[in-house]
Amino acid sequence: MFETLKEQPADKILELIGLFKADPREQKIDLGVGVYKNAEGVTPVMRAVKAAEKRIWEEQTTKAYTGLAGDPVFVDTMIDLVLGDSVPRENVAAVTTPGGTGAVRQAFELTRVATPGARVFVSDPTWPNHLSILKYLGMETHAYRYFDSETGGVNFDGMMADLKDGLKAGDVVLLHGCCHNPTGANLNMVQWREVVALLNEKGAVPMIDIAYQGFGDGLDEDAAGTRYVAANVPELLIAASCSKNFGIYRERTGLLMAIGQDASRKPVTQGMLAFLNRQNFSFPPDHGARVVGTILSDDALRADWKAELEDVRLGMLELRKQLAGELQRLSGSDRFAFLGEHRGMFSRLGTTPEMVQKMRDESGIYMVGDSRMNIAGLNTKTVPILAKAIIDAGV
């Protein structure tokens, strides 16, 4: 059996991690891996997470399975965090998943079961694992224009033209809720409204991947687009991740929500979500979900978590401003101002793989070949080094 297996292409980011580790230079900067790091280069355990884990350790009496949907406290508090009061709770079916990736996978699985011929439209570019999962599932995928390399912003006219020309009723449009990965360029609320109007006109179903809530402009601000969509479309899928905003990457904690305006359909939808969980991994992991539920249901822990998350958010914004300012000083132009306007951990320089390779060879700057860089991989001391490398490479 194993003789029939074929070697799979290497994951570019994992490959980049290996190259970085093998580089003997002391002055090298890792901007590849998509994990938040503080100024010391550490991904810290948040204070509220530590406190919640201690409470769970002291009070938990069993490690028996949870239900197929996961811990109800986690599910309810996460629905509240993402959706606020945008839709009635009886319209939301939801299940816990192994990370945001698990939620994305289950959403695609649900789409394939419910509408076998549905095509999925994804932004160009998007998180590579979106495309990898869709390819593995054999689902037809179409790209819509999104990032404008010249301006560093959203190519909204191109996006709308591609969706207007390509969409058919029943198709799914994958959208990033905030802090677009890999570009950092986001839709504004006027654009969200236009997208919703077009989706409703075409009879297409939106699917939102929201993995960085709280990393951009704030918890409620980052969820504004998602909440508007939820309140104004007949059906919506949302894949939410707790890896970044709670810093619990290895705990694999996510939530899949299926929202419909017809509340009478919720029991069937909820049953299908539970069925898909059973087929793929049975009962979802609980530790991370219980940590999040403990934090969000306790006023003091929630306040401390929000305060630390805000420090993280503001720290990344300061790094962005510092980098844009240093590039303006070195280049004598505002052509890199978009880096200060992007939100979240990532930005895309909009340069060529050859330029990225040149920065790696000459200055020890490691970023993904499409020029995506993790802003959280920087600190105030390394920002000037990166800025000089960008200018020296002729970007």
Side-chain angles (χ1 to χ4, degrees):
M1 178 175 67
F2 299 150
E3 292 176 359
T4 67
L5 297 178
K6 298 178 181 178
E7 186 174 356
Q8 297 301 305
D11 184 289
K12 293 180 180 179
I13 295 177
L14 297 180
E15 188 176 31
L16 195 66
I17 293 172
L19 291 172
F20 178 81
K21 288 182 177 179
D23 190 333
R25 288 175 288 185
E26 288 187 13
Q27 185 173 294
K28 56 182 181 178
I29 303 175
D30 180 11
L31 304 179
V33 65
V35 174
Y36 170 77
K37 297 179 183 179
N38 61 19
E40 289 73 43
V42 176
T43 303
V45 180
M46 299 181 84
R47 296 186 301 267
V49 169
K50 282 275 193 183
E53 287 185 313
K54 185 174 187 293
R55 183 182 301 179
I56 292 167
W57 178 77
E58 291 173 340
E59 298 177 358
Q60 196 170 58
T61 59
T62 181
K63 291 291 186 181
Y65 293 125
T66 58
L68 283 172
D71 175 33
V73 175
F74 167 72
V75 173
D76 289 344
T77 54
M78 276 297 293
I79 290 173
D80 179 68
L81 182 71
V82 176
L83 293 175
D85 58 0
S86 59
V87 294
R89 196 56 54 91
E90 59 266 24
N91 291 11
V92 185
V95 290
T96 308
T97 58
T101 304
V104 168
R105 171 64 183 263
Q106 296 294 72
F108 291 152
E109 293 267 18
L110 179 66
T111 298
R112 191 170 63 165
V113 170
T115 315
R119 304 172 302 162
V120 181
F121 285 70
V122 299
S123 65
D124 180 18
T126 192
W127 181 46
N129 219 19
H130 288 149
L131 300 173
S132 180
I133 295 170
L134 287 165
K135 181 180 179 181
Y136 179 76
L137 292 174
M139 299 180 71
E140 185 177 345
T141 308
H142 294 265
Y144 59 84
R145 283 172 284 176
Y146 187 83
F147 185 65
D148 186 334
S149 295
E150 294 296 321
T151 66
V154 177
N155 179 2
F156 189 66
D157 290 341
M159 173 183 178
M160 292 296 284
D162 290 346
L163 293 178
K164 190 173 294 185
D165 293 342
L167 282 178
K168 298 177 182 177
D171 286 340
V172 170
V173 178
L174 178 57
L175 302 160
H176 295 230
C178 63
C179 306
H180 185 273
N181 180 5
T183 70
N186 299 312
L187 299 175
N188 60 42
M189 283 309 300
V190 173
Q191 293 168 335
W192 275 110
R193 293 186 183 97
E194 291 188 39
V195 169
V196 165
L198 178 61
L199 295 179
N200 287 338
E201 176 189 332
K202 292 288 187 178
V205 179
M207 172 183 161
I208 295 177
D209 185 355
I210 183 164
Y212 302 93
Q213 186 181 355
F215 267 35
D217 293 309
L219 284 166
D220 290 329
E221 293 84 351
D222 289 347
T226 298
R227 292 173 182 177
Y228 180 82
V229 177
N232 290 281
V233 298
E235 295 178 338
L236 168 65
L237 295 169
I238 301 175
S241 171
C242 300
S243 294
K244 287 80 179 176
N245 51 11
F246 287 88
I248 51 173
Y249 297 86
R250 66 176 61 171
E251 305 301 348
R252 312 311 302 130
T253 307
L255 188 76
L256 172 61
M257 290 168 268
I259 303 160
Q261 299 299 335
D262 183 358
S264 68
R265 296 296 303 167
K266 177 183 173 179
V268 174
T269 305
Q270 184 67 50
M272 178 55 71
L273 293 179
F275 172 79
L276 289 173
N277 271 14
R278 183 65 167 161
Q279 305 316 303
N280 281 319
F281 47 78
S282 198
F283 298 93
D286 179 70
H287 181 73
R290 200 156 297 263
V291 166
V292 171
T294 299
I295 292 170
L296 293 180
S297 61
D298 181 280
D299 289 344
L301 288 178
R302 186 182 182 116
D304 190 38
W305 166 70
K306 288 175 70 174
E308 188 167 359
L309 178 61
E310 185 70 356
D311 288 341
V312 167
R313 183 183 78 84
L314 293 176
M316 287 189 291
L317 282 179
E318 282 303 313
L319 289 171
R320 288 187 173 282
K321 292 176 183 176
Q322 183 189 356
L323 179 58
E326 187 68 11
L327 285 166
Q328 196 279 335
R329 185 183 70 82
L330 292 175
S331 68
S333 76
D334 291 327
R335 59 194 176 96
F336 295 103
F338 64 87
L339 294 172
E341 297 167 3
H342 287 171
R343 290 295 182 266
M345 287 202 304
F346 303 116
S347 275
R348 192 171 181 178
L349 274 177
T351 191
T352 65
E354 290 75 22
M355 287 291 187
V356 171
Q357 184 68 48
K358 187 176 182 182
M359 283 188 283
R360 185 188 311 168
D361 294 341
E362 296 180 356
S363 306
I365 307 296
Y366 283 77
M367 64 179 70
V368 183
D370 63 3
S371 74
R372 185 200 83 168
M373 56 182 179
N374 179 10
I375 297 296
L378 293 167
N379 58 46
T380 55
K381 294 180 180 179
T382 56
V383 164
I385 298 172
L386 172 62
K388 184 176 184 302
I390 291 172
I391 299 302
D392 288 350
V395 175

